[in-house]
Structure formats: structure tokens, C-alpha cells
Amino acid sequence: MSRILVLNGPNLNLLGTRQPEVYGGTTLKMIEDACQQHAQAAGAIVTCFQSNHEGALIDAIHAAKGTQDGIVLNAGAYTHTSVALMDAIASVELPVIEVHLSNIHARERFRHHSYIAPVAIGQICGFGALGYNLAIDALVGHFKERSKA
Ligand code: CA2
């Protein structure tokens, strides 16, 4: 069974409580529960972690090396600012799928750039909470393709 870390960054603990017009009405707990269920059906096991602190997210990425097979990451606003997160991802050499609830390319210009994208195998954005399940499917598909090679 493949192991996937679902990692969420700053303010995503507030999901479902404010700005539902931008981020939807689903809470982070609902998203994490859906990830657990979806992963199980896809033959994967999910561990979820959220932090509002950049260093804690970096520690979680470091800890994933050797304990996880891949990462689904919504780095929140750190997406657009954090060279440190980009370096952490590059250092662990794990496949990472970048997820955003909103379509960051259709929003303010500062959200168009992602420090995560160059070190991720792909990006899924604009599909709301569904994006996490799509990312799990993409990672499981990636593991299957890789095992054939
Ligand atoms: O669309 C996404 O998933 C984002 O990663 C969300 C970040 C934003 O800075 C990125 O540009 C795109 C913000 C998360 C804030 O979440 C909130 C949820 C409820 C209420 C307030 C903020």
C-alpha cells in the first residue's frame, strides 16, 4: 500500500468558517476524512497534517522522507513566498502534487507564481475540495507508472 502525506499550510484550518465564496463550505476535517476514504479505495494510506508555521511544514516534509511515498501539498500563501519550502521539497526527492482549492491563475497577480510548482510533479487548482482526491489519484497513477519502468 502506498503512503501519502496530505499537508496543508497556513489558514487552511479556517476552511468552511469564512470566505466560502472563495474556498467553499467544506471544512478541513471533511477534506481530510474524504482523503482517507478516497485513498483507501485507491489502495493508499493517507496521513494528514496542517500547520500555520513554515518551519513545522518543513519538518513534516523532512519527516516524510523514508516514511511516505508522496505528498499532496496545499502550501496556502507560502506557495507564493517560500523558497524554504521549495528547498525542503527538492531535498527529500519525493513526488509532490501541488493543490489549491481556488484557481490561483485566475486571481491576483501575486498568486500566479508558485515556488512549489518547479519542484512538484504537477499542479491541480480550481476544483475546490475535489482537487485533493484528484491529487491522490494522480499520485497513485504515478506510483503505478513508475513501478512499470
Ligand atoms: O486556493 C488555495 O487553496 C490557496 O492555497 C489558499 C490560500 C491562498 O493564499 C492561496 O493563494 C491559494 C489561502 C488559504 C486561506 O484559507 C482560508 C479559509 C477560510 C477563511 C479564510 C482563509
Side-chain angles (χ1 to χ4, degrees):
M1 239 194 198
S2 41
R3 304 158 297 177
I4 297 172
L5 174 65
V6 176
L7 190 54
N8 279 289
N11 297 311
L12 289 158
N13 55 312
L14 300 177
L15 282 176
T17 65
R18 277 168 248 168
Q19 291 185 259
E21 68 287 358
V22 184
Y23 300 117
T26 313
T27 65
L28 183 59
K29 169 91 171 68
M30 287 157 76
I31 289 174
E32 290 178 342
D33 288 348
C35 284
Q36 304 276 9
Q37 281 195 8
H38 191 78
Q40 206 172 16
I45 183 153
V46 152
T47 302
C48 298
F49 181 69
Q50 186 273 337
S51 179
N52 294 319
H53 305 276
E54 193 173 16
L57 295 167
I58 292 167
D59 287 343
I61 292 167
H62 291 174
K65 191 171 176 68
T67 61
Q68 303 289 337
D69 299 303
I71 302 174
V72 171
L73 172 63
N74 184 347
Y78 287 142
T79 303
H80 319 298
T81 63
S82 182
V83 176
L85 272 178
M86 177 178 76
D87 287 346
I89 292 165
S91 76
V92 295
E93 295 176 328
L94 284 170
V96 171
I97 306 222
E98 176 182 0
V99 171
H100 298 285
L101 296 149
S102 61
N103 179 358
I104 55 172
H105 303 289
R107 298 184 64 193
E108 304 96 319
R109 204 160 184 78
F110 69 86
R111 295 189 204 271
H112 297 185
H113 179 262
S114 165
Y115 280 100
I116 309 302
V119 288
I121 60 171
Q123 183 190 70
I124 295 168
C125 69
F127 295 99
L130 172 67
Y132 289 84
N133 287 353
L134 296 174
I136 288 168
D137 288 343
L139 259 187
V140 170
H142 174 78
F143 298 145
K144 282 187 184 143
E145 284 302 313
R146 206 176 47 181
S147 70
K148 280 188 213 158

